[in-house]
Amino acid sequence: MMDWSKCSAVESVPGKVSGAWVFTKTRVPVSALFGNLAAGATVEEFLDLFEGVEEWQVNAVLEQVVTDLDAKVKIANPV
């Protein structure tokens, strides 16, 4: 499971979208990004669809995922 608390581009606020992780200062769930990318949308299309989400936030979320995955690979395959 991702530790989104390390990513400044997102927040989880009790009572805001049921406490789901959302892009900071929006009500757009982080899961919406991945759902749209999986459906074939580009980052630019996602940004057009979800007003208030900024490109730096999407980049920070994607970088956090890569960092987390890299850490998990290192744990699973120590050198």
Side-chain angles (χ1 to χ4, degrees), residues 3-53:
D3 181 5
W4 290 111
S5 66
K6 296 177 184 178
C7 183
S8 65
V10 300
E11 63 185 0
S12 175
V13 179
K16 183 178 182 180
V17 192
S18 300
W21 286 98
V22 297
F23 288 94
T24 306
K25 298 183 182 176
T26 76
R27 296 181 61 80
V28 179
V30 173
S31 61
L33 171 62
F34 296 104
N36 278 269
L37 293 175
T42 64
V43 169
E44 291 79 17
E45 290 168 334
F46 175 80
L47 293 169
D48 288 342
L49 288 170
F50 294 95
E51 230 176 274
V53 179

Side-chain angles (χ1 to χ4, degrees), residues 51-62:
E51 230 176 274
V53 179
E54 298 181 30
E55 186 174 5
W56 75 266
Q57 291 174 298
V58 170
N59 290 336
V61 164
L62 295 174

